[in-house]
Amino acid sequence: MDRRRLALVRGGEDTGFRRIGSGYLIAPRLVLTARHVVEENPGAAWRRIDVRVGHPQDETRRCAAQVCWTHPDGRDVALLLLDESVEAPGAVRWGRPVGNGPLPYDALGFPAATTSNGQYGVEHLRGELPVLGGGSGEQDRYVLDQGPAPEADSRNGGRAWSGASGSAVFCGDHLVGVVIHDDEAFRNRRLHACPARSFVDDPGFADVLERHGDGRPRLSRVGTDLEPYLRAARLAATQHPYPGVMPGTMPPLSHIYVRQQVVSRNSPAEESAGNAGLMASGLLPAAPPQPADEVLTGDGVCLVVGGPGGGKSSLLRTRLTHGAAQWLDGTADPGPAPVLVPAAALVGAPLSRALADTVNAQLRQYGLTSPLPDTFFEDRPAPGHGWLVLVDGLDEITSVSGREDVLRTVAHAGDQYAFVVATRPVRETEQRILGPQVPCYELEPFRADELQRVAAGWFRALDVAEPEQTAQEFLNTLHAMGLIDLARVPLMMSMLCQLRAKAPTEPPPRGRGDLYRRFVDLLHERQYAAGAVEQARAALRQYGSDAEAGAERTVQNLRPILADLAHELLFAGEHEGRAVLDAVQDHECAERPAAVPETRWREFLESVLCGTGLLIRRSDDLVFTHQTFLEYFAARHATDEEERLQVVFREIFFRRAPARRRFRRDWTPPEYDPFGGFLLDLTPDGHPLKAEFLTLMNSGRASARGPQFLINQAQSGTWLSEDVLKDSVKLLRRLSRDRSLTAFNRFRVAVTLSTVDTTASMEASRDLAQDPKADDYVRALAVRLYTGFAPTEPAGFLVDLAPDTPGDAKPSHQLKAALALTESDPATAVRRLHAVARDGSVPPEERARAVVVLRTLDKRPGLAELLRDLADDTTLDIGRRLTVGWLLHDADHDTATALHEKVARDSATRAAQRLEAAESLSWIDPQRARIVLGELLDDTTIGRRHRRQAAELLAKTHDSQPD
């Protein structure tokens, strides 16, 4: 309620005013009031209407007005159009009281009881609005139990409230109704109001507001915990998710956020059809990047995949901020109401309760003064609207079973929920739990043309002088030092910018490990500068000198404490699930002094740990603010002691190749892992193990995988000397010409070279494309790689790799080579893929692959017939048939249902595949799935573990039933 919008409305003839009422300015030229105030007789407005806008104690504006809308069903409400505009800040928010308990209300009006010497005074109406009062039809009105109600007497003709008609009634910040008359049955001391819900949806009312106001009005529910929750969630989401080294708080996320892009990835069904390698290599056409906020609209379930520090948390926070603002600001169609939750909070807990527990724990400090009930997220936030659950950090759950539990919760949650699940790359088997229809998007790093804007935004937020010029100089330095790829990662950029702002004269860190080391050191300095040691002493001084010494010892040894903690959390083993404070308290540097009570010491430890900026409280435990800090400290744990380093370094990096490799003496590097990168980076350069490993990787004994591993590490931010990288490139050049390698391995070498030596990559890919002894598939891949460098050069020999007659080439080569035509000649590619799919002489596996690919390329009808044929083909393996059934369920629900039902009941089929079929059936036909899963519960031909899984799936299908 805004006093500047108060209006005194008078209606009458040219000779004078005959009726006085109240009103409220809802737009610069629109005043809401009661209809009887502005009409002489029903349907006939007063010849003269005058409006004075503003509180009498402030500046007021006087305008002539005319009636521009009245309710078509005769409700006592009207809109006046002013002859002049009267500006007032903000916008009116419309509300609909809900629930059972009475709500406090407020209004401002000009009742006759306030009249003195012909002047009307303002009365602040206030009291309670019984939500369940009123009736239907003409009796659909709010009963206002007015607090200080005036008595009717002869001075006001027995109508003390005369003049209050038209007053806008507010519950909190929402306009919920208009006062229309007093209640004679209660001696005229009680008021009635016309509910806003009875007129804001009228098309005429909405049209007037669209022409003269802020757009079509939208009713928000008033009287629930939804608005307090959304306000607290929006406030929390504006906070930057990463720690900061600068004094004070981090800048709001909106000040340095850059709109992120995502690229659509292939679905599990497409991957299972053998296309994962094609997508990764770029043979299948890659989808163009899309703004993430245009994709993550809250429709169903989607997966967002990004690398370490890639901005997943920032994306979800920004999505929450935008979604909450739509609800709070009265957007006409706000979409689902957002809620952010760490994935770990969903493990082993009912969804609604887990959401409520998380929100209550995390938003208490952001204004959520009353805890939400356990059932808050069970119901929809409003009719026709659901919840958008933003699940962060799926990869931070260390156990496979825990991640699968969360994904099954997401998959079977019910149609009142939509989900965005953010994670580092997950295994295909885990992604399949969500179903092949669930889209997957890969989060893109900052583009090169965005870095200037990102850096300048950081420097501006951190009060660095001349932020634009400083940003350009800063980026030039990063380019010169080979750190520009590191800066494309949002978390890395935030740390680099803060280090530059804090220590502008120091050179940038030489790599990712050095960056984390310096950043953590600055965080520790900040904690000391804030008086952490003295505060620790003071907090425990009452318990004696031993307690003070113990507190100081803990603060001074925080880094080794965090290193040991990170090791335990990352390699939990038998300690999995132990609370962080329990692990820290067991550390020799954090032992509780005997005189300090247990509870008091744990409070002290939590305060000190969170004071580092590296840990925060999440639900009922402490967690590292970012997974990479956990991995960094775990690497520090490994490198702090020589004996430990020897063991861990050999375990991670010195692994012999499998026996099936050509040379038993060959070595294989590990898969990419941020912990391994930190371990390599933090191991001193002169260490014999590190020197031996780098030499081994560039010796050829690891084949092409060795130099590929080193180059990938360097691109991820691990610092490697220029000599090491030169040796890697030199070895790759030699291997690209080595005909003793398989054609596919030569292609992998050409791909790696494309990031460091374009000329050598072009030569290698052109050589492969023209090699008649090479596999057709690899030749097609090589053509695609080469034409990426030289798109104008002819690639007509691609047609030779994909002849029209399938029998002229191996089906697998025919299929994969035809894909290379999808951009240069899509019509030919589609035609030839159809030929493979329809040729009965082609193995069914290859026909299924062709159909799956066609589904992404050819949107015309006709594929359903092919899918039905394949679904009936018993020579096709079970996994492939289930994939076909998934793709078919939209076009032929009955066939898809029958296929999955048959596989699930087939005792000759492996139990895991029967459960997979039943789980897929729960998506296609939940009712049939419940019957099948009930049968599996009693089926003794499958093991106890699979029967337990069937029970869990059955419970999920019941939980997801609509009310």
Side-chain angles (χ1 to χ4, degrees):
M1 184 173 63
D2 187 343
R3 58 188 281 167
R4 293 166 296 185
R5 293 178 177 268
L6 174 63
L8 174 66
V9 180
R10 298 183 294 182
E13 305 290 349
D14 293 339
T15 56
F17 295 113
R18 305 283 298 279
R19 193 166 295 163
I20 306 294
S22 304
Y24 195 80
L25 185 74
I26 63 171
R29 292 189 61 198
L30 293 178
V31 169
L32 178 68
T33 188
R35 182 174 183 167
H36 73 265
V37 172
V38 294
E39 288 187 340
E40 180 179 7
N41 296 301
W46 289 107
R47 183 187 301 274
R48 180 184 174 190
I49 300 174
D50 178 88
V51 178
R52 187 184 70 194
V53 179
H55 194 284
Q57 296 175 359
D58 306 325
E59 182 180 351
T60 61
R61 286 280 302 279
R62 198 166 190 165
C63 305
Q66 56 183 330
V67 176
C68 64
W69 173 85
T70 56
H71 198 283
D73 294 335
R75 302 303 297 264
D76 194 0
V77 61
L79 282 178
L80 300 179
L81 182 65
L82 303 180
D83 288 352
E84 302 175 20
S85 293
V86 180
E87 297 294 336
V92 173
R93 302 169 63 203
W94 304 88
R96 174 183 182 176
V98 296
N100 297 323
L103 298 176
Y105 78 87
D106 291 272
L108 292 176
F110 297 92
T114 65
T115 306
S116 176
N117 299 323
Q119 298 294 319
Y120 278 78
V122 175
E123 178 71 12
H124 185 170
L125 285 63
R126 58 197 182 280
E128 289 191 330
L129 185 156
V131 177
L132 300 181
S136 62
E138 292 184 359
Q139 298 301 312
D140 179 18
R141 58 199 181 200
Y142 293 138
V143 177
L144 305 181
D145 187 8
Q146 174 65 15
E151 291 281 359
D153 58 31
S154 58
R155 291 182 306 159
N156 48 51
R159 303 300 297 271
W161 287 117
S162 176
S165 294
S167 298
V169 180
F170 281 82
C171 286
D173 295 332
H174 292 82
L175 197 163
V176 301
V178 178
V179 174
I180 53 176
H181 59 73
D182 49 4
D183 191 342
E184 294 181 4
F186 284 77
R187 298 175 60 190
N188 302 101
R189 300 187 67 193
R190 196 171 72 169
L191 300 173
H192 288 164
C194 180
R197 65 168 182 261
S198 69
F199 59 81
V200 297
D201 289 333
D202 175 67
F205 184 87
D207 288 345
V208 172
L209 262 70
E210 278 200 311
R211 290 198 307 271
H212 301 287
D214 296 317
R216 303 181 76 85
R218 185 185 69 84
L219 284 171
S220 298
R221 287 155 54 104
V222 180
T224 70
D225 294 314
L226 180 62
E227 183 171 343
Y229 155 68
L230 289 171
R231 288 188 180 280
R234 180 170 65 173
L235 178 61
T238 60
Q239 308 301 308
H240 202 284
Y242 304 145
V245 300
M246 303 297 288
T249 60
M250 286 282 280
L253 181 58
S254 59
H255 288 192
I256 40 82
Y257 182 76
V258 172
R259 194 183 193 194
Q260 292 172 278
Q261 303 277 317
V262 293
V263 173
S264 178
R265 291 177 48 175
N266 52 321
S267 69
E270 293 165 335
E271 289 180 356
S272 66
N275 298 326
L278 302 177
M279 297 288 288
S281 64
L283 183 58
L284 275 179
Q290 301 171 266
D293 53 8
E294 294 181 5
V295 172
L296 310 181
T297 57
D299 183 14
V301 179
C302 73
L303 197 66
V304 176
V305 175
K312 300 181 291 295
S313 296
S314 295
L315 174 65
L316 296 188
R317 285 169 176 258
T318 302
R319 181 64 185 84
L320 186 146
T321 302
H322 175 70
Q326 287 186 307
W327 281 81
L328 293 171
D329 297 343
T331 304
D333 184 12
V339 54
L340 178 62
V341 61
L346 303 183
V347 178
L351 177 60
S352 176
R353 184 180 304 168
L355 294 177
D357 288 346
T358 300
V359 166
N360 288 333
Q362 294 183 351
L363 301 186
R364 172 178 49 83
Q365 60 182 313
Y366 294 103
L368 190 65
T369 54
S370 299
L372 302 178
D374 288 347
T375 58
F376 179 77
F377 292 101
E378 284 184 7
D379 299 324
R380 295 178 179 274
H385 295 275
W387 296 102
L388 175 58
V389 185
L390 305 166
V391 183
D392 195 12
L394 178 68
D395 55 286
E396 295 176 17
I397 301 173
T398 56
S399 68
V400 174
S401 61
R403 293 194 298 272
E404 290 180 346
D405 179 73
V406 171
L407 292 173
R408 288 195 173 94
T409 297
V410 169
H412 301 284
D415 60 2
Q416 73 267 42
Y417 302 103
F419 290 87
V420 177
V421 181
T423 179
R424 293 182 187 179
V426 295
R427 301 186 308 172
E428 177 192 335
T429 54
E430 295 175 26
Q431 186 179 343
R432 285 177 63 89
I433 293 173
L434 296 177
Q437 82 289 354
V438 171
C440 179
Y441 300 98
E442 186 164 357
L443 193 59
E444 292 279 274
F446 292 136
R447 299 191 308 269
D449 60 350
E450 292 176 330
L451 294 179
Q452 164 77 20
R453 181 154 50 97
V454 175
W458 268 105
F459 292 145
R460 194 176 299 109
L462 297 172
D463 293 327
V464 174
E466 300 179 335
E468 300 290 343
Q469 180 180 343
T470 302
Q472 188 58 60
E473 294 171 353
F474 174 66
L475 293 176
N476 291 341
T477 303
L478 295 182
H479 267 292
M481 296 190 64
L483 296 174
I484 203 66
D485 284 339
L486 198 64
R488 296 182 64 204
V489 179
L491 174 60
M492 306 298 115
M493 179 60 111
S494 77
M495 295 165 68
L496 286 166
C497 289
Q498 290 182 75
L499 288 180
R500 168 61 179 78
K502 180 69 175 177
T505 60
E506 292 187 16
R510 71 175 195 173
R512 185 176 58 174
D514 190 32
L515 169 61
Y516 275 73
R517 179 188 61 78
R518 290 168 57 178
F519 190 80
V520 167
D521 287 349
L522 283 177
L523 284 175
H524 199 59
E525 289 178 16
R526 186 196 69 175
Q527 192 175 24
Y528 264 78
V533 174
E534 183 54 38
Q535 290 174 20
R537 287 176 177 158
L540 301 177
R541 187 166 292 152
Q542 60 179 308
Y543 301 108
S545 59
D546 286 347
E548 286 189 65
E552 183 172 352
R553 182 182 67 250
T554 299
V555 174
Q556 290 178 339
N557 287 279
L558 277 174
R559 279 175 285 191
I561 290 173
L562 292 175
D564 293 349
L565 171 66
H567 172 76
E568 178 173 326
L569 293 176
L570 195 60
F571 305 103
E574 61 189 47
H575 299 295
E576 184 174 3
R578 189 161 70 137
V580 163
L581 285 179
D582 290 340
V584 171
Q585 191 167 332
D586 288 344
H587 196 280
E588 61 182 2
C589 296
E591 289 185 43
R592 177 175 63 89
V596 181
E598 173 87 10
T599 302
R600 188 69 188 86
W601 183 250
R602 291 175 71 87
E603 290 174 354
F604 160 74
L605 289 179
E606 179 172 345
S607 174
V608 170
L609 290 172
C610 292
T612 64
L614 293 166
L615 286 97
I616 56 172
R617 171 157 288 282
R618 181 179 290 170
S619 297
D620 58 350
D621 203 1
L622 299 181
V623 297
F624 277 89
T625 53
H626 198 274
Q627 182 76 358
T628 54
F629 288 108
L630 170 68
E631 291 153 344
Y632 164 76
F633 274 104
R636 286 195 64 159
H637 171 88
T639 56
D640 279 347
E641 294 182 6
E642 177 61 26
E643 183 177 349
R644 190 185 299 152
L645 172 60
Q646 291 275 349
V647 173
V648 176
F649 198 98
R650 288 188 180 280
E651 181 180 343
I652 296 295
F653 291 119
F654 286 91
R655 300 188 300 176
R656 287 192 177 276
R660 65 179 180 272
R661 291 279 296 275
R662 187 159 58 106
F663 300 113
R664 293 293 298 273
R665 60 185 176 84
D666 283 359
W667 297 82
T668 181
E671 297 295 330
Y672 172 75
D673 172 31
F675 168 76
F678 281 123
L679 179 62
L680 187 62
D681 219 350
L682 296 180
T683 302
D685 290 340
H687 196 283
L689 277 179
K690 185 172 183 178
E692 181 184 354
F693 174 71
L694 295 178
T695 301
L696 178 65
M697 291 296 101
N698 274 337
S699 67
R701 294 180 63 188
S703 187
R705 295 179 181 271
Q708 287 169 344
F709 170 81
L710 296 179
I711 288 175
N712 289 338
Q713 281 289 332
Q715 291 172 340
S716 300
T718 302
W719 187 87
L720 297 173
S721 71
E722 188 175 345
D723 289 340
V724 168
L725 294 177
K726 283 182 178 179
D727 288 345
S728 296
V729 174
K730 183 178 179 179
L731 178 56
L732 287 173
R733 288 176 186 151
R734 179 170 63 79
L735 292 172
S736 71
R737 299 187 294 271
D738 186 350
R739 296 301 179 97
S740 67
L741 292 178
T742 65
F744 188 74
N745 279 336
R746 287 163 58 199
F747 171 73
R748 288 170 59 99
V749 169
V751 170
T752 305
L753 279 171
S754 68
T755 63
V756 291
D757 190 335
T758 300
T759 302
S761 180
M762 288 182 66
E763 292 175 356
S765 57
R766 182 169 53 194
D767 184 45
L768 264 177
Q770 296 174 342
D771 185 355
K773 295 182 180 180
D775 186 288
D776 291 343
Y777 169 39
V778 177
R779 292 177 66 191
L781 288 171
V783 169
R784 184 65 177 272
L785 179 61
Y786 179 76
T787 54
F789 296 121
T792 59
E793 293 195 21
F797 62 89
L798 275 173
V799 178
D800 298 332
L801 296 177
D804 278 315
T805 306
D808 293 344
K810 292 181 181 180
S812 60
H813 297 174
Q814 162 76 11
L815 167 65
K816 295 167 183 174
L819 290 172
L821 293 167
T822 55
E823 289 188 0
S824 60
D825 191 353
T828 300
V830 169
R831 185 177 72 249
R832 293 176 182 179
L833 288 169
H834 268 290
V836 172
R838 297 178 185 280
D839 190 338
S841 64
V842 173
E845 287 81 5
E846 301 303 330
R847 296 176 63 201
R849 290 177 181 175
V851 171
V852 171
V853 176
L854 275 170
R855 188 169 175 266
T856 67
L857 301 176
D858 186 9
K859 304 302 182 184
R860 294 172 299 174
L863 290 181
E865 178 187 348
L866 290 173
L867 289 168
R868 272 192 291 269
D869 291 344
L870 290 166
D872 293 336
D873 192 335
T874 56
T875 65
L876 189 63
D877 70 84
I878 294 296
R880 195 83 63 178
R881 288 181 71 195
L882 290 177
T883 296
V884 169
W886 254 116
L887 299 176
L888 181 62
H889 80 272
D890 284 337
D892 190 338
H893 179 273
D894 293 340
T895 300
T897 299
L899 170 63
H900 286 84
E901 204 169 340
K902 181 178 180 180
V903 171
R905 286 186 164 128
D906 186 358
S907 59
T909 300
R910 287 191 300 112
Q913 290 182 319
R914 295 175 67 187
L915 264 294
E916 180 183 349
E919 185 168 8
S920 298
L921 184 63
S922 68
W923 283 94
I924 299 171
D925 192 329
Q927 185 175 355
R928 299 299 302 167
R930 283 189 281 275
I931 296 173
V932 171
L933 287 167
E935 295 172 357
L936 289 173
L937 282 176
D938 301 325
D939 191 337
T940 57
T941 65
I942 62 176
R944 183 178 302 172
R945 179 170 65 88
H946 290 104
R947 292 202 300 274
R948 184 168 61 249
Q949 185 178 347
E952 293 171 355
L953 288 172
L954 182 60
K956 296 286 188 182
T957 60
H958 280 295
D959 289 344
S960 63
Q961 278 187 276
D963 294 333

